[in-house]
Amino acid sequence: MKEQQDQKATKDGTNLFEGIVFPDYFIQKNLSFDDMIGSIRTWSAYKKAKEKGELKAFEAFFERMKKSWGNPVNAKKVTWPISVRAGRVHRNSPP
């Protein structure tokens, strides 16, 4: 479905965009528990929750993750998918 949407041409009034399909990309890192928590604390959702004083859900998640992590100094492989939305611009001919 995503590929079909990306390959559709869309018009913004002046240009025609033809979607380009990219293969799946991922970032993989080995992180300790503290590194993982530190990474999550950089997320905009975490920062917004912190600004509003609404960190209960994150703190509960950190506690559950800590219990399942095992030794917190042991690194685990963490994988993030990378999403790419790109296209080629085609100039419309004058009407």
Side-chain angles (χ1 to χ4, degrees):
M1 179 81 172
K2 181 181 179 303
E3 287 182 11
Q4 291 172 345
Q5 290 173 340
D6 286 348
Q7 291 202 7
K8 273 190 195 176
T10 56
K11 207 172 188 180
D12 77 351
T14 57
N15 299 312
L16 193 62
F17 296 86
E18 174 190 354
I20 299 171
V21 177
F22 275 80
D24 292 334
Y25 288 106
F26 299 91
I27 294 174
Q28 290 186 334
K29 292 184 87 173
N30 290 320
L31 299 177
S32 70
F33 176 77
D34 287 340
D35 291 338
M36 183 67 199
I37 298 301
S39 177
I40 292 171
R41 288 181 172 150
T42 69
W43 296 357
S44 62
Y46 180 88
K47 290 178 181 181
K48 287 178 186 176
K50 185 176 180 181
E51 286 172 9
K52 294 179 179 182
E54 299 174 355
L55 290 175
K56 282 185 181 181
F58 280 99
E59 297 306 329
F61 171 68
F62 294 160
E63 283 302 314
R64 286 192 312 271
M65 190 167 50
K66 187 175 186 176
K67 288 177 184 173
S68 64
W69 194 275
N71 186 339
V73 297
N74 289 345
K76 303 224 183 259
K77 185 192 294 187
V78 180
T79 304
W80 291 271
I82 302 296
S83 298
V84 176
R85 181 151 190 178
R88 291 184 184 90
V89 177
H90 301 281
R91 302 280 178 212
N92 287 337
S93 352

